[in-house]
Amino acid sequence: MITIALPKGRIAEQTLEKFEKAFGEKFVFEDRKLILQKAGFTFLNVRNQDVPTYVMYGAADLGVVGLDVLEEKEYDLITLLDLKIGQCKVAIGLKAGDTIDWNRSSIKVATKHTTIAKKFFESKAMAVELVKLYGSIELAPLVGLADCIVDIVETGETMKQNGLVVGDTIMESSVQLICNKNSYYSKKAEILNIKEKIERT
Ligand code: PRP
């Protein structure tokens, strides 16, 4: 039995389609159920940011999560495969007309991605005052909560519709298949079989 943590929503659906193609079984979560057991797999339906936690503690052998979330958590996990879905970038967002003066010594940044934001600005020799938010990040510069934001950009529509412009890209992200280190050694054959079959879908 292999346990796989999936992030609720579209990425979970796209991943289950890959498993369907790879293993010839239909995998669908029933209504509000958070566990799906079938054909030797246990799928867990968890929050995006919680996927690495389930895998890190060994509650799941495998997980499916964006590179941005992995960078944020800094856990010691194995990345098996780029699933080539959920492509996006982590970028700076600014109020239209604003620019970042890279010569200033500090900046106030609103973000959910505090680790990534801190590293980026510190690499530019700027001290960062972080304002941790959990959603609707685009509002922050508009109401004077922060000088800029660091957020996920997929199409750029959310920033555009809220009067922001997309600034520097900090990192590119896509969804990765990750693995718990102990599971990788104790269930290596099964895990490599999954990796290879999913890779071919
Ligand atoms: C992200 C991000 C933006 C939006 C960007 O939110 O926070 O709000 O997507 O997409 P766009 O460039 O295509 O407009 P997401 O939907 O991932 O939900 P979240 O707020 O839970 O992160």
Side-chain angles (χ1 to χ4, degrees):
M1 182 66 82
I2 295 282
T3 302
I4 305 158
L6 300 178
K8 276 187 184 171
R10 195 158 48 95
I11 300 297
E13 285 163 23
Q14 287 176 300
T15 306
L16 290 175
E17 280 168 22
K18 284 182 179 286
F19 273 82
E20 183 177 339
K21 275 190 199 148
F23 295 95
E25 296 269 355
K26 192 137 187 69
F27 298 105
V28 184
F29 281 98
E30 273 176 54
D31 196 23
R32 301 199 183 189
K33 288 205 176 158
L34 302 175
I35 297 188
L36 162 62
Q37 282 183 311
K38 197 174 177 185
F41 295 112
T42 299
F43 292 101
L44 309 177
N45 201 11
V46 312
R47 276 295 291 268
N48 187 32
Q49 294 97 324
D50 294 334
V51 168
T53 310
Y54 280 80
V55 179
M56 181 64 201
Y57 287 98
D61 302 301
L62 301 177
V64 168
V65 71
L67 194 57
D68 60 306
V69 176
L70 288 176
E71 288 279 320
E72 234 354 85
K73 296 281 180 197
E74 301 181 302
Y75 285 158
D76 190 15
L77 298 163
I78 295 172
T79 299
L80 289 175
L81 184 66
D82 183 345
L83 292 174
K84 309 262 169 65
I85 55 175
Q87 281 94 348
C88 61
K89 58 186 184 181
V90 179
I92 293 175
L94 294 157
K95 205 156 75 172
D98 279 4
T99 50
I100 292 178
D101 174 5
W102 297 102
N103 293 318
R104 60 194 275 187
S105 58
S106 72
I107 189 162
K108 197 171 176 188
V109 183
T111 188
K112 198 191 289 184
H113 295 78
T114 49
T115 306
I116 293 171
K118 189 166 186 286
K119 269 194 192 160
F120 177 77
F121 283 102
E122 285 181 352
S123 78
K124 306 275 185 195
M126 278 169 111
V128 200
E129 188 184 335
L130 293 164
V131 179
K132 169 96 182 181
L133 295 177
Y134 295 89
S136 304
I137 323 277
E138 293 82 2
L139 274 175
L142 302 175
V143 295
L145 183 58
D147 300 318
C148 70
I149 62 169
V150 166
D151 199 15
I152 298 289
V153 177
E154 210 178 314
T155 61
E157 253 327 285
T158 310
M159 284 205 196
K160 194 175 164 199
Q161 289 190 21
N162 290 291
L164 302 188
V165 290
V166 182
D168 293 43
T169 296
I170 299 179
M171 66 174 288
E172 303 281 345
S173 176
S174 63
V175 170
Q176 311 290 314
L177 181 64
I178 58 168
C179 185
N180 172 276
K181 280 201 158 170
N182 292 330
S183 301
Y184 188 73
Y185 296 111
S186 62
K187 302 180 182 179
K188 197 164 183 176
E190 273 172 281
I191 286 171
L192 288 180
N193 178 46
I194 293 170
K195 174 189 181 254
E196 278 158 26
K197 288 213 165 96
I198 294 293
E199 204 168 11
R200 276 190 246 122
T201 60

